Amino acid sequence: MGATFWYYPVGQPLKTVDMNVPLSEIIVREQRDEVVHEAISGRRFKIGYSTRWVVRVIAELITDPDLIHELEALCNHLTRGGQVAVGESNDRTLGAFLRVAPEAGDTQLNWYTQLFSGYGGTWTPEAGEVLLLRGPSPRALREDVICGGGGSSTGATLSLATRHDWSNEDWIFVHNRSFWPSLQLQRGQTNADLLQSTRRIHYTLDLPLEEGPHALARLAEEPESPLLGGEIEEGLETLDERVGQDHAGHLQWDSQPYRGGGGSVKPRWF
Amino acid sequence: MGWPNVWLEAMARDQLDLLFLLESVAIGEWGAFEGAFKIASFPGATGYTYAITRSGSGFSWGTLTPGSWSRTYGTMSVGIMPDLDVRAFTARGQAVQLRVGYPGLDIANFEPVWVGSVRDLVWRGSQWVLECVELPAALTGRFSSDGDDVGLFNSLSQTTLADAFDPAIDTEIELTSTAGFLKSDEPGDAYCLLITPTTGDPYYLLADTKAGNFFQDLHLPGPTLGTEIVPAEAGDLVEEVAYSQGHPIRMVRRLLESSGDTGQNGLDDYFPRSWGFNLEEMWLDVEDMQHFLLKTNPSPGEWTLLEVQEQSDALGWLSEWLRPGGFFLAMRMGKLTCRAVLNLFTGSVTPGDIHITDDDIIPGTITYHTWDPQSPIEYERSRADGRLVGGLGVTTTEASIDSRPARGEYERDLQADFQGTADWPTEVVERLGIYDMRVPERLRFQTAGLRCAEPILGDIVRVSSDHVPMPRGTDEDNAERRWLVVGGGPDWFAGYCEFELISVPNLKSES
């Protein structure tokens, strides 16, 4: 079970590139578009406009010629503007929107259909598995949570209670901490040397990727759009096709709405 | 009605995330602006396309020139993602509104911060940039797509006398035709004719009633509006005059609101169709106008609208009409308003008692001019004159300061003041004179965040800073010193506010 990439080659169904070995490095960080102005007194005003995630993926000492050919094709896909999903494990690909916003101290999460079962199969929680909760840009509230023993494909019991009150978020996305479903090359990196050879003895893959500020919101909001944002490509699978008409575009919150109170309040993106 | 407190409190937070909505809006009823678009800086706003980018977005602000109180107007640029070709939805002249909110706020409650008119759509830096001018600057013509209907007062007509007219004998006057001659429905207003007699100077004649080719219930014997009514002969030229009386700010409301269908568009919808912009009342900051009306309201307090020609540059005409009294058009909180320059010492501090301190001012942005570069001359006297023969001017005097260029008198001709009393000259001199008789000091700085986003041109704010020089020529305290806003505003895309202020030292202490 090695690190894996998923993408859609031109005119082809989902392509899985399994490295069969762990990644050498995966560095994840937030990049906020914000301004900070400081007054004479030292008082600071910070105004956020958007937040994107930068994910740098590095794999070294690649010697398998077949894998190198696959990675060459993947790099070309990325430099053409294509999107890719990355997972440190090929069977831990949870990605779903929560049904109910957790409050601080909650130890149970429930979500709608796992959107990426087609990537890594049915997902059930394993004790100690780290999930990432994320809210919309620009606030970009996030929190690591750790699965306890219990749960199912649509929910998990946590071993450690949530810290934040998420009730003001318009939506909440939960995914494996090491699974990033919607990435593309960072701006300005189109001509970067993504796959480097060392005397043709071994290769190093170094992908500077990013998740746009609103990639997840778009995923939720526009079910007709391709899962991996491939508007530049033809024949891509859409979210509708992936998760079924009964789910996409018809997401409704359970009895407890987000943003606490109000009963009929729906997330803004419906 | 201004921004609600809950929204203002959010803008004043030390930490804030901002979201934007930009959309085309209908501000007139004649469908002058084809197409429509609604775009947002974030996805998920129902009905809006996620397309706004911060790169390429920004503001410039209008200014107010001390003394002449003439204006320049501000602009807004909004960056739009390259994959949305806005040309399919927009048109030059289209009215657009920017609304601002924050995460958790329903988009219906996003507050308008800017409204204006599209001037250009530029492809720059691999993206679109929509360039707009603020709404007051869009008043160059009426909001119509019919080229013959754009000019203000475009329906004014002229004809000739059908029969001789002797004001000493006649109680009515007969024209070749009265078709097209219209009047304001404001109570007290009347039909106004400009007659050019064969012998004598042109004169105005007011009439309350139009019946067939006759005007009756004439306001005789005159003089009328400073002109002597004399006999005229058949065939003499008669021109229709756009005439109305009222406080200048109320006159602005009549011009902006009037639809030709009295009362259909607000309380001041009194004028014939071509005399007004038919700007829906929701785009007017009626409360703000009323505030400045009450602050500039001598009794009686009327100016007279008296126009005989179509105005192809309605904004230029209106600005010049207002300027002698220190009145000007401005945009406040995404609405159009008409304000007046107030006396720095006696005017109210507006809005909402904004007090700018070192908790707001960004270090390194302060520029202070001991003498305002835009006000090179100091006058010993400030004078205002009503229009009627005989002057009725009012002068106020202060000792000049020998060390600077000085001239005797700054004179304002109140061309619309036909009252024949000293009320308006007195009011204007008391309000504006202090800016003539001392070269103002000028202060420019930026404030961090958007706490100080409210003030606009004409507001009086208080500034207390240890980093602003003391008032020139005095040893007065610098705390809570009053300043008049003559430029600047909030840049919502950059997260700061810019201020361009003037103040005058205490006249007595500097003489």
Side-chain angles (χ1 to χ4, degrees):
Chain A
M1 295 297 176
T4 305
F5 297 94
W6 294 268
Y7 74 105
Y8 287 89
V10 176
Q12 291 298 305
L14 185 69
K15 174 75 176 175
T16 303
V17 181
D18 194 333
M19 306 277 290
N20 290 315
V21 292
L23 292 173
S24 306
E25 181 67 278
I26 179 167
I27 305 168
V28 178
R29 58 187 170 87
E30 288 173 78
Q31 216 172 51
R32 290 181 180 264
D33 175 20
E34 65 181 26
V35 293
V36 178
H37 296 296
E38 194 166 285
I40 291 172
S41 67
R43 183 179 178 185
R44 294 180 70 188
F45 292 85
K46 184 167 88 69
I47 297 178
Y49 294 94
S50 65
T51 301
R52 66 183 65 234
W53 287 80
V54 173
V55 180
R56 187 176 176 196
V57 174
I58 301 173
E60 297 169 310
L61 301 175
I62 303 168
T63 54
D64 180 350
D66 291 342
L67 178 59
I68 291 166
H69 290 314
E70 293 290 357
L71 294 177
E72 289 280 11
L74 171 63
C75 291
N76 172 259
H77 169 80
L78 289 170
T79 54
R80 292 197 330 270
Q83 298 215 4
V84 67
V86 178
E88 279 200 273
S89 170
N90 64 5
D91 64 351
R92 310 310 292 166
T93 60
L94 172 67
F97 290 94
L98 291 195
R99 285 181 179 273
V100 178
E103 296 178 353
D106 281 357
T107 55
Q108 180 69 37
L109 297 180
N110 291 298
W111 50 79
Y112 292 100
T113 305
Q114 134 75 324
L115 298 176
F116 302 96
S117 57
Y119 292 21
T122 304
W123 183 93
T124 50
E126 293 176 353
E129 189 166 8
V130 181
L131 304 180
L132 192 56
L133 302 181
R134 289 199 286 150
S137 166
R139 189 181 186 198
L141 188 62
R142 71 180 165 92
E143 184 174 346
D144 281 356
V145 293
I146 301 172
C147 293
S152 67
S153 60
T154 57
T157 303
L158 306 179
S159 64
L160 197 61
T162 52
R163 302 160 193 84
H164 296 305
D165 178 357
W166 289 76
S167 56
N168 284 323
E169 299 305 298
D170 286 346
W171 50 259
I172 302 153
F173 189 72
V174 59
H175 63 101
N176 278 104
R177 190 185 185 189
S178 56
F179 173 63
W180 294 84
S182 184
L183 298 172
Q184 60 189 135
L185 269 189
Q186 277 182 43
R187 293 168 294 173
Q189 296 290 339
T190 299
N191 296 316
D193 199 0
L194 305 178
L195 188 61
Q196 305 160 31
S197 160
T198 305
R199 299 177 187 275
R200 288 188 286 181
I201 300 170
H202 61 83
Y203 285 75
T204 299
L205 181 72
D206 187 349
L207 299 180
L209 304 171
E210 69 176 13
E211 182 190 87
H214 302 295
L216 294 181
R218 180 167 171 267
L219 199 64
E221 181 206 357
E222 300 175 15
E224 300 291 340
S225 66
L227 260 185
L228 292 178
E231 283 181 351
I232 58 168
E233 307 281 349
E234 292 292 329
L236 303 189
E237 197 170 15
T238 68
L239 187 60
D240 272 359
E241 293 162 349
R242 170 62 66 193
V243 300
Q245 287 289 344
D246 61 338
H247 169 63
H250 302 286
L251 294 174
Q252 296 292 326
W253 303 116
D254 283 351
S255 56
Q256 181 186 350
Y258 278 19
R259 295 209 225 126
S264 62
V265 177
K266 287 181 181 176
R268 196 168 54 214
W269 35 283
F270 289 102
Chain B
M1 197 172 74
W3 293 326
N5 283 338
V6 64
W7 189 88
L8 281 170
E9 287 164 6
M11 293 302 121
R13 283 184 208 141
D14 291 359
Q15 194 162 317
L16 171 69
D17 295 321
L18 282 187
L19 304 172
F20 300 95
L21 300 173
L22 180 72
E23 58 203 302
S24 58
V25 290
I27 58 175
E29 72 173 38
W30 296 301
F33 306 113
E34 305 294 340
F37 70 88
K38 301 169 86 170
I39 56 178
S41 68
F42 57 101
T46 303
Y48 292 80
T49 303
Y50 164 43
I52 296 175
T53 67
R54 199 163 77 88
S55 74
S57 298
F59 293 85
S60 73
W61 303 282
T63 60
L64 198 55
T65 303
S68 69
W69 306 115
S70 58
R71 270 216 60 181
T72 64
Y73 295 95
T75 64
M76 175 181 73
S77 299
V78 179
I80 297 173
M81 291 179 185
D83 55 349
L84 181 67
D85 188 352
V86 191
R87 288 177 298 182
F89 316 107
T90 191
R92 195 171 193 197
Q94 184 181 40
V96 295
Q97 181 189 51
L98 181 73
R99 294 193 290 138
V100 170
Y102 44 86
L105 184 69
D106 192 288
I107 59 171
N109 296 324
F110 279 35
E111 288 297 321
V113 298
W114 202 94
V115 64
S117 170
V118 172
R119 278 291 178 268
D120 201 356
L121 182 60
V122 184
W123 178 260
R124 182 190 303 140
S126 299
Q127 68 173 59
W128 291 107
V129 177
L130 191 70
E131 296 185 342
C132 313
V133 295
E134 61 176 293
L135 184 56
L139 296 176
T140 49
R142 298 174 65 251
F143 299 113
S144 172
S145 51
D146 178 354
D148 295 331
D149 199 27
V150 171
L152 198 60
F153 310 117
N154 65 68
S155 68
L156 291 178
S157 51
Q158 57 178 264
T159 185
T160 55
L161 276 179
D163 200 0
F165 170 65
D166 186 345
I169 300 170
D170 295 327
T171 57
E172 60 182 16
I173 186 169
E174 183 180 7
L175 310 187
T176 305
S177 168
T178 58
F181 280 65
L182 301 169
K183 67 184 277 289
S184 159
D185 283 338
E186 170 79 24
D189 284 349
Y191 293 100
C192 184
L193 313 177
L194 177 62
I195 299 174
T196 304
T198 302
T199 304
D201 294 329
Y203 59 87
Y204 297 103
L205 178 64
L206 300 177
D208 290 331
T209 308
K210 182 171 79 168
N213 286 342
F214 289 89
F215 281 104
Q216 300 165 336
D217 300 321
L218 306 179
H219 295 204
L220 291 173
T224 298
L225 300 169
T227 59
E228 295 294 335
I229 299 174
V230 299
E233 298 175 8
D236 283 351
L237 177 66
V238 180
E239 296 170 86
E240 179 193 6
V241 180
Y243 166 81
S244 183
Q245 286 193 310
H247 188 283
I249 290 180
R250 280 210 64 206
M251 202 71 76
V252 168
R253 283 193 59 180
R254 287 177 209 167
L255 287 163
L256 296 176
E257 289 183 12
S258 289
S259 66
D261 193 1
T262 298
Q264 291 302 302
N265 186 33
L267 296 174
D268 283 290
D269 180 4
Y270 284 118
F271 285 175
R273 185 171 173 277
S274 85
W275 301 13
F277 289 90
N278 195 16
L279 192 67
E280 291 176 34
E281 196 179 39
M282 63 176 288
W283 298 110
L284 305 183
D285 194 333
V286 176
E287 276 186 20
D288 191 62
M289 289 195 207
Q290 188 65 17
H291 171 82
F292 282 91
L293 185 151
L294 294 174
K295 294 292 180 188
T296 57
N297 200 22
S299 181
E302 293 183 337
W303 279 18
T304 301
L305 171 70
L306 205 60
E307 187 50 60
V308 74
Q309 290 184 325
E310 176 180 349
Q311 295 299 321
S312 57
D313 176 10
L315 175 64
W317 170 84
L318 181 54
S319 300
E320 284 304 302
W321 191 78
L322 292 169
R323 202 168 57 81
F327 296 97
F328 60 92
L329 298 170
M331 183 179 63
R332 176 177 178 266
M333 299 183 181
K335 292 186 176 184
L336 188 60
T337 183
C338 180
R339 309 187 119 197
V341 176
L342 301 181
N343 185 307
L344 199 57
F345 299 121
T346 60
S348 301
V349 176
T350 57
D353 205 17
I354 289 286
H355 183 198
I356 300 167
T357 70
D358 287 340
D359 251 4
D360 303 298
I361 299 172
I362 299 174
T365 63
I366 297 174
T367 302
Y368 167 83
H369 293 272
T370 305
W371 297 285
D372 177 18
Q374 293 187 24
S375 307
I377 301 298
E378 179 182 286
Y379 296 89
E380 186 177 7
R381 297 181 301 278
S382 178
R383 176 183 173 87
D385 290 291
R387 182 157 170 177
L388 289 184
V389 176
L392 294 168
V394 173
T395 304
T396 184
T397 304
E398 286 292 339
S400 62
I401 303 168
D402 294 336
S403 60
R404 284 182 287 281
R407 285 184 188 161
E409 187 169 276
Y410 188 95
E411 185 172 352
R412 289 185 172 81
D413 290 323
L414 305 178
Q415 290 293 309
D417 173 21
F418 286 88
Q419 286 191 159
T421 69
D423 296 296
W424 268 111
T426 302
E427 196 279 337
V428 168
V429 160
E430 289 180 354
R431 185 158 46 84
L432 304 181
I434 63 162
Y435 303 103
D436 302 327
M437 295 181 294
R438 282 293 177 272
V439 174
E441 295 161 79
R442 180 174 285 259
L443 177 62
R444 184 187 305 127
F445 56 77
Q446 294 174 353
T447 60
L450 297 166
R451 190 188 79 82
C452 303
E454 278 185 273
I456 64 162
L457 301 180
D459 276 320
I460 296 173
V461 298
R462 294 177 298 150
V463 178
S464 298
S465 171
D466 294 337
H467 301 266
V468 173
M470 304 293 282
R472 76 162 186 251
T474 75
D475 55 0
E476 291 185 356
D477 190 359
N478 208 17
E480 302 201 10
R481 190 174 181 203
R482 288 179 168 212
W483 296 83
L484 178 73
V485 180
V486 294
D491 189 328
W492 302 94
F493 293 113
Y496 68 87
C497 302
E498 182 149 318
F499 283 87
E500 189 94 30
L501 309 170
I502 61 168
S503 188
V504 289
N506 186 310
L507 299 180
K508 304 298 181 192
S509 63
E510 198 182 31
S511 60

